[in-house]
Amino acid sequence: MDFIKQDKELLLDELDRSAEKCMFLSHSFKDSEKVVDLAKALAKQDLHLWLAETDLLYHQHINSEVKTAIEKLPFFGVFLSENIFHSVWSAKEIEFALNNKKQIIGFFHAETLKNLYPINSKSSVAQELFSRFFDNHQEVIFVNYPSVEQAISFPLGEFMKMDELIALLK
């Protein structure tokens, strides 16, 4: 199964559409390539994500399918990048997940972290990200993917390691 994204083909054969999902993953379609890479890495651990690229069919009503998936799945992930601010759908999905008291897991791609490094109060992107989505939601877990070994200053504490995330999701 392939998905065409802005003149680029995403190879989705490694993702099992019929597998039981453990998490809904909200993201900007501009980040689809990185998101699919993350989904493939987790699928190798037998952890499957609900992604629009694999779980929405053309004839389905997007709003009801997304709401149903968020309500049904125990975890809600959001792929955090500069692109998320321009995604109206992601904002709605995040709000719906928060209103449904879902455990939120924020994924920072290592490239995004490099662009925001150091993350501090002077970073307007980081500031907007935290104030718009995560203020007063201390239970948010943050993960960087692929893992970055260097110490990174992060305003909300330590990143969860991928092996810890895998144990949590299983």
Side-chain angles (χ1 to χ4, degrees):
M1 170 179 25
D2 300 333
F3 182 82
I4 305 296
K5 177 205 143 275
Q6 298 177 353
D7 300 328
K8 188 169 189 170
E9 185 177 32
L10 296 174
L11 300 176
L12 305 174
D13 290 340
E14 296 171 48
L15 300 177
D16 184 355
R17 188 176 191 284
S18 65
E20 185 176 339
K21 310 298 189 237
C22 65
M23 179 189 327
F24 180 97
L25 187 60
S26 179
H27 62 283
S28 165
F29 276 104
K30 291 179 181 177
D31 293 319
S32 289
E33 189 174 354
K34 293 173 186 167
V35 166
V36 167
D37 287 344
L38 172 62
K40 287 178 181 179
L42 290 173
K44 288 177 183 173
Q45 300 294 325
D46 201 28
L47 296 168
H48 304 279
L49 305 179
W50 193 103
L51 300 175
E53 290 86 345
T54 56
D55 292 284
L56 273 179
L57 300 176
Y58 290 111
H59 68 278
Q60 291 176 316
H61 187 266
I62 187 170
N63 198 36
S64 65
E65 291 297 318
V66 164
K67 283 184 174 182
T68 299
I70 294 170
E71 287 173 336
K72 182 177 88 170
L73 296 170
F75 296 98
F76 178 88
V78 58
F79 192 85
L80 302 168
S81 75
E82 296 88 344
N83 297 323
I84 201 82
F85 298 117
H86 308 291
S87 173
V88 174
W89 276 107
S90 288
K92 289 178 183 180
E93 292 163 357
I94 292 167
E95 183 178 357
F96 189 74
L98 290 170
N99 289 339
N100 281 274
K101 305 206 183 320
K102 293 296 175 175
Q103 171 66 67
I104 309 288
I105 300 171
F107 290 92
F108 276 105
H109 190 274
E111 185 179 294
T112 301
L113 286 172
K114 189 191 301 186
N115 293 339
L116 298 178
Y117 183 79
I119 298 174
N120 58 39
S121 60
K122 295 177 185 174
S123 170
S124 62
V125 173
Q127 227 176 4
E128 183 179 352
L129 179 75
F130 303 129
S131 65
R132 186 185 293 181
F133 297 129
F134 303 117
D135 276 358
N136 302 317
H137 299 286
Q138 299 303 317
E139 292 83 35
V140 177
I141 296 169
F142 292 97
V143 178
N144 61 323
Y145 172 80
S147 294
V148 176
E149 294 302 321
Q150 64 186 3
I152 297 173
S153 170
F154 191 65
L156 296 177
E158 297 294 317
F159 285 104
M160 179 178 272
K161 293 181 171 83
M162 281 300 281
D163 57 340
E164 295 170 329
L165 175 68
I166 290 165
L168 174 69
L169 296 177
K170 287 192 173 198

